[in-house]
Amino acid sequence: MDVAIVGCGDRGAAYAAAAHRCGLTVSVCADVSERRARRLARVHNAASTIRCNMALRSKAVDAAIVTTPTPAHAEYVLSALRAGKPVLCEAPFTRTTAQGREIVGEVRKRGVVCHVANPSRSRPEYEAIEAQINAAKIGKVGYIRTYRAGPMPKGAGNWYRDYAQSGGVTLDGLVHDFDWISRQFGKVKKVFCQNLEHGGFDFSMVTLRLETGAIAQVIGSWAHAKGSAPSLRIELCGTGGMVQYDSGDVPVRTSRRSGGTPALGLSPVLKSIEESEIEQFIAATDGVGDPASAEDALWAVRVAEAALRSAKTGRAVRP
Amino acid sequence: MAKIGIMSCAHMHAYAYAGCVKALPDAELVAIWDDDSKRGRAAAREFGTKFIADLQKFLSSGVDAVIVCSENSKHRPMVEAAAKAGKWVLCEKPLATTVADAKAMIRACSAAGVGLGTAFPCRFITPVIEARNRLKSGEIGRLHAAACTNNGSFPGGWFADPKLSGGGAVMDHTVHVVDALRWMTGKEFTRVYCDCGTLLHEGLKTDDVGSLHLEMEDGVIVSHVASWNRAESFPTWGDVTFELVGSKGVLSVDGFNQKIDVYSDRVRKTEWAFWGDDANLAMVKDFVDAVDAQRPPSVTGEDGLRALEVTLAAYRSAKSGKMVAV
C-alpha cells in the first residue's frame, strides 16, 4: 500500500517511520510548507508536494495519513475519502463537530475507512486496565479521574497557542480521555468545565456525568515546565477496588548532566503507538477493523466542544 | 497546665486528639463525657482518664477546655453547653450541618467570652505550610487555578446517616480543602458547582463521590474531589492533594506523601507507614496554647462557618444542577 503523509511535522515524521516499519510505502509527503514536505520526503525517498489535495487524488497513493494541525484535518480527510482513499487521522479528529459530522457522513456514504488514532485503543497500559475491569477485580466503576500534564506543545507557527485553532488542552489533550471514558464507561450525559486558556499556558478541569451515573473528573495541563515530559495518571474506583496508573513511573530513565530535552514520557514497548495505529488502520481497510472509530472520535469532539461551551457559560452542558 | 475534656467520641478523631493531649507536657486529659456511656467509658479506660456520665458534672469537674467530637449535627448543643460553662472549645469539622447552627455556636462562644476553634489539621501539615510559604514567596507567580482532592475510605456508622452527618463524602471531605485554600491564598470562595452521587457503596443514604468546581475572589478557578473512594485494600486511608497553577509554574502538594511502603506477610496488604510531622499534635498544641493564653485558637469558628457555607452551597448546586453563589 502506498501512502501519502499529509502534514510533515513531528507527528507526520513519526507516522511515516512507523508506516515504513509496517511494510507500507511512503510515496508522497505533502505539507503547506515546502521545506517540511521536502525534508520528510528525503528521509523516505518519496515525492514531495505543497498541493495536499492533489496528492490525495494521485494514482500513486492508495491511502492517506493526516497529521496536520487539527483545523485542517477535515479538508484533507474529506479529500481522501472523496477520492476513495482510506484515511488514518491523528487525534483530535476535528476542531468542530460540524467538521466531524461531515466526515462521518462521507464515511457512511462511501464505505471508505476513516480510522482516528487514539492511544487508548492501542496502548497496552489501557488494555491492562480494561482487563482488570473485565475480570471484575474492582467491581462496578463509579469514579474515574484522569490527569494529563505537560508543557504546551510546540507546533508550526505556534498554532497550539491559538485556542481558536487548537481548542487548548481541553480539546487537544482531553479528547483522548473523553473518547476512552465514553467507550469504556458509558456515554456522557453532562459536562462542566473550567479552563484558563491563558496566553502561554492552559489548564482545564472537567467533570463528566455519565449515563450510568458514574462521575469522571478529567484534568489537563499545558502549564508545566518547558521541556518536561508529558505525563498521564488514571485512577478508577469501583464497588470492589481501585486501579491506579502513572505514566511517570517508567522502567528506563536518563539523567543528563548537561540537561537537554527528555524523551516522551512513555514506557518502551516493542510496538510504537503509531505502529499500532497503522496496524489497526490496515486491518480496518481489510474489513476486520473497528468501523465505529470515526463515530467514537466525533463523540469525543462533541464532548470537548460541550466542555469549551461550559467553560464559557459557567453552566453544565449536555453534549 | 491546660485541663482538657473530651465531649463525645462518636468521631474517630477523638482518639487521635486524646492521644495528642496525653503527649503534650502542658496539657492534661482530665475527663471524657459521652452521650454513649459505653463508648465513653471504654475511651476513658483506654486513655487512663475518668468518664463522667452527667454533662453538668463533667463541665464542673475542673476542665478548662473541651474538644467536641460528636456526630456533626450534635455539635451545637454540646458547644453551647460548654460555652455557657465558660470552657474554651475545639470543635471537630464540619463545624455544624447548618449555617444557623454554626452561627449560633459562634455567638454562644463570643457571648461567653470563650475561644472557639474548628479542627482543621490541614493548616498544620508541614508540607501544606511549606506550599503556602512557596506560594507567598511568588515561586509560581500569580495563582490562576487549583486542582485538589480529599479522598478517603468509607468511615461507616453515623457518617452515612444524613440526620447525624448532614451529608456524605462532600460534607466530610470538602471543608478541609476549602479551609486550606482560604488560608493559603487569603481569598474567599464565591461560587460552586457540584456533581455528586452514591456510586461506590450500595444502599448508602448519602453521597460517596463528589466532583466540585469552585471560584474564588480574583477569578481563581478550583476543582475538587470529595470522596469515600479508597478501597479497603488501598495502602492508606486517603489523601489531601493540591495542584496550584500560577503564572510562572505549577506547585504540586501531596500532603501525606511522607511514607514508607510496608509489605507484611502477616497483614497481607501493602501499607504505607507515615513518618511526617503529626498535624493533629500541632493543632491540639495550638489549642492548648490558646487556652493557656486565653486567646482564640488559630483556626476559628468563623473559619469553620466559611468552609461549611461552601459545602452547603455545593449541595444546593448538586440539587439544582447549576453553579451557585456561596
Side-chain angles (χ1 to χ4, degrees):
Chain A
M1 195 152 66
D2 289 346
V3 294
I5 304 287
V6 183
C8 298
D10 291 346
R11 302 303 302 138
Y15 271 100
H20 180 69
R21 284 197 296 275
C22 291
L24 305 183
T25 305
V26 176
S27 58
V28 182
C29 295
D31 196 301
V32 292
S33 149
E34 191 168 4
R35 188 181 52 82
R36 276 199 304 269
R38 275 203 185 143
R39 197 177 50 198
L40 189 60
R42 252 200 312 277
V43 176
H44 292 277
N45 205 11
S48 72
T49 180
I50 55 166
R51 298 193 179 86
C52 300
N53 288 314
M54 208 187 277
L56 293 167
R57 287 192 290 269
S58 152
K59 280 204 181 110
V61 168
D62 302 316
I65 297 177
V66 175
T67 45
T68 62
T70 314
H73 284 179
E75 181 188 348
Y76 300 128
V77 169
L78 285 167
S79 263
L81 293 172
R82 282 170 186 153
K85 314 277 168 80
V87 198
L88 191 167
C89 178
E90 174 68 331
F93 181 35
T94 54
R95 176 61 183 84
T96 67
T97 52
Q99 293 170 331
R101 270 199 206 101
E102 200 179 347
I103 294 173
V104 166
E106 206 65 30
V107 168
R108 285 202 190 119
K109 195 163 98 192
R110 294 176 189 270
V112 181
V113 168
C114 175
H115 176 85
V116 184
N118 189 315
S120 70
R121 285 171 186 274
S122 53
R123 283 293 293 185
E125 46 270 55
Y126 282 95
E127 256 174 60
I129 293 171
E130 287 173 24
Q132 298 305 310
I133 299 168
N134 294 338
K137 287 274 186 68
I138 63 169
K140 190 173 175 238
V141 174
Y143 168 80
I144 302 128
R145 190 171 195 257
T146 61
Y147 167 93
R148 60 176 67 233
M152 180 178 281
K154 276 195 203 122
N158 244 337
W159 72 274
Y160 286 103
R161 204 180 159 139
D162 177 359
Y163 296 108
Q165 286 195 62
S166 70
V169 73
T170 310
L171 181 90
D172 192 77
L174 302 186
V175 79
H176 299 92
D177 306 310
F178 297 152
D179 184 13
W180 181 63
I181 290 167
S182 302
R183 267 187 302 116
Q184 188 66 43
F185 306 103
K187 282 254 154 137
V188 176
K189 196 167 65 179
K190 204 168 63 164
V191 184
F192 193 92
C193 173
Q194 294 172 295
N195 69 2
L196 289 180
E197 295 197 353
H198 205 273
F201 58 96
D202 192 10
F203 195 77
S204 183
M205 308 181 284
V206 181
T207 295
L208 306 177
R209 197 75 200 252
L210 308 187
E211 267 164 17
T212 60
I215 290 175
Q217 203 182 76
V218 184
I219 310 284
S221 167
W222 277 355
H224 280 65
K226 273 186 199 134
S228 64
S231 70
L232 170 67
R233 294 202 299 260
I234 296 173
E235 178 170 282
L236 307 176
C237 299
T239 49
M242 299 168 54
V243 165
Q244 286 186 329
Y245 164 70
D246 183 351
S247 75
D249 197 7
V250 289
V252 188
R253 243 179 249 277
T254 309
S255 173
R256 285 169 56 89
R257 278 182 303 284
S258 58
T261 314
L264 265 179
L266 280 174
S267 257
V269 286
L270 287 177
K271 227 181 274 173
S272 70
I273 287 188
E274 295 79 15
E275 281 172 80
S276 301
E277 294 295 348
I278 288 171
E279 279 185 5
Q280 287 181 24
F281 174 53
I282 293 170
T285 57
D286 291 341
V288 288
D290 180 355
S293 173
E295 261 116 1
D296 286 349
L298 169 59
W299 172 257
V301 173
R302 222 165 116 171
V303 175
E305 255 189 1
L308 289 170
R309 223 162 45 238
S310 168
K312 275 229 166 65
T313 59
R315 289 167 198 268
V317 170
R318 181 177 274 275
Chain B
M1 180 68 78
K3 292 191 166 77
I4 309 290
I6 285 180
M7 295 179 75
S8 176
C9 297
H11 198 295
M12 58 281 202
H13 289 166
Y15 301 88
Y17 301 155
C20 295
V21 173
K22 298 276 286 186
L24 288 168
D26 299 337
E28 190 188 344
L29 182 62
V30 293
I32 290 175
W33 170 86
D34 199 320
D35 56 1
D36 179 333
S37 62
K38 201 173 148 203
R39 182 174 63 204
R41 238 181 275 279
R45 244 194 327 274
E46 186 181 336
F47 290 99
T49 188
K50 58 179 180 291
F51 172 74
I52 302 174
D54 183 88
L55 179 59
Q56 288 317 316
K57 274 192 193 140
F58 165 82
L59 289 171
S60 54
S61 68
V63 297
D64 302 318
V66 298
I67 304 178
V68 175
C69 288
S70 68
E71 300 87 341
N72 300 340
S73 67
K74 294 184 184 172
H75 286 170
R76 178 179 172 177
M78 292 184 196
V79 169
E80 283 176 337
K84 209 170 159 195
K87 311 301 175 193
W88 246 239
V89 182
L90 177 63
C91 183
E92 182 53 39
K93 51 63 38 178
L95 186 61
T97 57
T98 67
V99 168
D101 279 0
K103 284 185 174 163
M105 290 155 70
I106 292 167
R107 262 198 317 272
C109 290
S110 159
V114 299
L116 169 63
T118 308
F120 283 141
C122 280
R123 290 202 199 188
F124 298 90
I125 297 172
T126 305
V128 173
I129 295 167
E130 168 75 14
R132 181 178 187 255
N133 291 340
R134 290 195 196 184
L135 188 66
K136 292 223 175 288
S137 78
E139 192 177 60
I140 61 161
R142 195 174 104 86
L143 182 68
H144 287 281
C148 313
T149 66
N150 186 189
N151 297 302
S153 45
F154 175 49
W158 61 265
F159 282 87
D161 179 349
K163 267 192 237 110
L164 293 169
S165 62
V170 171
M171 181 57 93
D172 196 26
H173 281 175
T174 300
V175 287
H176 285 304
V177 161
V178 162
D179 180 68
L181 280 177
R182 288 181 63 242
W183 181 62
M184 280 195 256
T185 64
K187 298 179 202 298
E188 294 293 345
F189 284 87
T190 53
R191 299 208 299 164
V192 55
Y193 172 87
C194 172
D195 243 317
C196 63
T198 311
L199 299 167
L200 302 173
H201 304 84
E202 271 164 44
L204 209 66
K205 279 189 272 178
T206 65
D207 53 286
D208 54 13
V209 171
S211 179
L212 285 74
H213 294 267
L214 309 105
E215 289 174 4
M216 302 183 82
E217 293 168 323
D218 301 329
V220 176
I221 56 174
V222 178
S223 72
H224 176 57
V225 178
S227 84
W228 291 332
N229 63 9
R230 265 32 196 166
E232 281 172 39
S233 46
F234 196 71
T236 194
W237 61 269
D239 67 31
V240 179
T241 73
F242 309 84
E243 181 149 288
L244 306 172
V245 180
S247 54
K248 290 183 186 163
V250 178
L251 175 60
S252 300
V253 193
D254 187 350
F256 293 101
N257 191 16
Q258 293 176 305
K259 41 91 175 169
I260 56 169
D261 302 341
V262 184
Y263 309 93
S264 159
D265 287 339
R266 188 171 58 74
V267 178
R268 299 202 78 78
K269 177 186 131 173
T270 304
E271 290 178 314
W272 290 347
F274 181 72
W275 52 257
D277 294 327
D278 184 346
N280 281 335
L281 184 65
M283 181 184 75
V284 173
K285 182 176 186 308
D286 174 76
F287 180 59
V288 167
D289 291 349
V291 174
D292 274 342
Q294 298 284 288
R295 63 157 169 91
S298 296
V299 193
T300 63
E302 278 79 10
D303 291 320
L305 170 62
R306 292 285 100 78
L308 175 67
E309 284 170 338
V310 175
T311 305
L312 293 174
Y315 278 115
R316 282 203 305 280
S317 163
K319 221 172 194 173
S320 71
K322 295 194 174 107
M323 194 167 222
V324 302
V326 170

